[in-house]
């Protein structure tokens, strides 16, 4: 009896894995396999063009990161971008969601208008903003009209990264707004009614009822924001034509990885080491954020 049951279980498990085999094959070929191959490359000096060669160098690629001035610049630019964009886009998304959830007139129209930037292709959006950021573009014309100083948004190293920040906050906040908007529907109205009976105004209800009840969603939004901002590439690439300029002011870690992997000979292994180091940084930042969010939920 037990033997027949074990055979039935094995047969059932085999059928399950047979149905899963196409998905498992795709995961192994396009996700798990490339990850292990990238780790393998990070321990080698790799020449892929012409005569391929793989020379084992151990931890030299990782040690070279500490002595690479451009890697330090890219890491600082990326860290500054993350520290500014993630909090601002999270707060803006929450405010937009709360305003739409308040039952304003024309709420559906505003939802569509707010969400339009998220539907736009990142490359197209970047090209539009480059036109707007031009010295004779729309933004400088508006600033000059209200007697405010104009900027060389693309060519000034002190402003270029800030210009990308503004564009990305504007385009990504609506996506997280939709997540917050869905979560707001689950907050009981009785909590707001109780707060109103205690004399709370709209701002107090927002900070003492809405924000605490959205902590799990905020944790998810922050983690997704961290992962996305650490991987900034396409906007920086288009803005600087792949150089990370002006004066390395828009150079990010992912753009630097691209440059070493495809623009320089013999540095594919070093690029893989940079990519693996970036993955460790993202994982560490995510774990720290999750730890803080769990500690906040205890209070």
């Amino acid at each position: 009896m037990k033997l027949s049951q074990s055979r039935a279980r094995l047969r059932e498990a085999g059928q399950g894995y047979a149905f899963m085999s196409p998905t498992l094959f795709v995961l192994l070929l396009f996700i798990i396999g490339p990850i292990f191959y990238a780790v393998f490359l990070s321990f080698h000096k790799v020449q892929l063009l012409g005569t391929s060669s793989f020379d084992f160098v151990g931890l030299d690629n990782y040690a070279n990161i500490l002595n690479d001035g451009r890697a330090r610049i890219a890491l600082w630019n990326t860290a500054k971008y993350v520290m500014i964009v993630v909090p601002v886009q999270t707060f803006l998304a929450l405010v937009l969601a709360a305003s739409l959830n308040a039952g304003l007139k024309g709420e559906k129209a505003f939802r569509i208008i707010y969400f339009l930037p998220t539907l736009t292709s990142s490359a197209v959006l970047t090209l539009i903003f480059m036109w707007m950021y031009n010295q004779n573009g729309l933004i400088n014309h508006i600033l000059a009209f209200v007697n405010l100083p104009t900027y060389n948004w693309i060519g000034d190293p002190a402003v270029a990264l800030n210009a990308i920040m503004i564009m990305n906050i504007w385009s990504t906040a609506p996506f997280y707004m939709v997540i917050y908007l869905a979560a707001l529907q689950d907050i009981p109205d009785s909590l707001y009614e109780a707060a109103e009976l205690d004399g709370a105004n709209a701002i107090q209800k927002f900070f003492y009822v809405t924000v605490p009840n959205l902590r799990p969603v905020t944790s998810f939004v922050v983690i997704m924001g961290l992962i996305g901002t650490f991987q900034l590439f396409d906007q920086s690439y288009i803005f600087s034509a792949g150089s990370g300029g002006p004066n390395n002011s828009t150079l990010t870690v992912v753009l630097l990885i691209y440059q070493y992997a495809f623009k320089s000979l013999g540095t594919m292994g070093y690029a893989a080491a940079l990519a693996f180091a970036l993955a460790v940084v993202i994982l560490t930042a995510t774990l720290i954020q999750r730890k803080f969010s769990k500690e906040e939920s205890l209070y």
Side-chain angles (χ1 to χ4, degrees):
M1 183 68 178
K2 291 182 178 180
L3 183 61
S4 60
Q5 288 179 348
S6 61
R7 287 180 177 175
R9 289 175 182 174
L10 286 174
R11 189 183 306 110
E12 185 178 351
Q15 291 173 348
Y17 282 110
F19 283 116
M20 292 170 57
S21 58
T23 301
L24 293 175
F25 175 75
V26 171
L27 289 174
L28 180 64
L29 183 63
F30 294 105
I31 297 179
I32 300 174
I35 290 174
F36 282 104
Y37 187 60
V39 174
F40 166 79
L41 292 179
S42 69
F43 294 104
H44 293 76
K45 182 179 180 181
V46 183
Q47 174 66 42
L48 293 180
L49 299 177
T51 304
S52 299
S53 62
F54 297 84
D55 299 323
F56 181 76
V57 294
L59 296 175
D60 287 355
N61 286 329
Y62 293 95
N64 290 337
I65 296 175
L66 302 176
N67 302 318
D68 189 348
R70 297 190 77 229
R72 288 195 295 270
I73 293 172
L75 182 60
W76 167 243
N77 288 340
T78 305
K80 182 167 61 173
Y81 177 84
V82 171
M83 289 186 291
I84 294 175
V85 171
V86 172
V88 174
Q89 75 180 9
T90 302
F91 181 74
L92 181 60
L94 179 55
V95 171
L96 290 175
S99 64
L100 288 178
N101 195 55
L104 300 175
K105 290 184 178 180
E107 177 185 332
K108 293 183 179 179
F110 280 115
R111 287 186 184 185
I112 296 173
I113 293 171
Y114 287 161
F115 196 68
L116 281 177
T118 304
L119 300 177
T120 308
S121 166
S122 177
V124 173
L125 192 66
T126 305
L127 292 174
I128 293 172
F129 266 82
M130 286 183 67
W131 167 75
M132 294 171 62
Y133 282 142
N134 190 284
Q135 283 188 299
N136 296 318
L138 177 63
I139 294 178
N140 277 344
H141 279 299
I142 294 174
L143 292 174
F145 180 77
V146 295
N147 295 321
L148 291 175
T150 59
Y151 297 96
N152 183 8
W153 296 93
I154 299 175
D156 187 353
V159 181
L161 186 62
N162 297 331
I164 296 178
M165 291 180 187
I166 294 171
M167 178 187 66
N168 277 335
I169 290 171
W170 180 80
S171 62
T172 56
F175 172 75
Y176 298 116
M177 175 200 71
V178 173
I179 298 175
Y180 273 125
L181 196 57
L184 284 170
Q185 313 299 319
D186 294 330
I187 300 178
D189 292 334
S190 58
L191 294 178
Y192 293 103
E193 293 170 358
E196 193 170 347
L197 289 174
D198 288 336
N201 56 33
I203 297 177
Q204 289 172 326
K205 285 190 287 186
F206 176 77
F207 283 104
Y208 292 104
V209 178
T210 303
V211 173
N213 280 277
L214 291 178
R215 277 178 182 166
V217 179
T218 300
S219 177
F220 170 77
V221 168
V222 171
I223 289 173
M224 295 299 294
L226 285 172
I227 295 172
T229 50
F230 267 115
Q231 297 180 18
L232 174 67
F233 170 73
D234 48 351
Q235 295 93 339
S236 180
Y237 179 88
I238 296 173
F239 257 75
S240 64
S243 67
N247 196 25
N248 290 328
S249 61
T250 61
L251 182 66
T252 63
V253 176
V254 179
L255 179 57
L256 184 65
I257 292 170
Y258 166 80
Q259 291 177 351
Y260 278 125
F262 301 107
K263 296 293 184 180
S264 303
L265 296 177
T267 54
M268 177 67 78
Y270 180 60
L274 276 172
F276 189 72
L278 177 62
V280 172
V281 170
I282 294 174
L283 178 62
T284 303
T286 302
L287 292 176
I288 291 173
Q289 198 283 327
R290 288 192 63 185
K291 180 176 176 61
F292 280 127
S293 64
K294 286 181 180 179
E295 289 179 352
E296 287 179 1
S297 64
L298 296 177
Y299 295 98

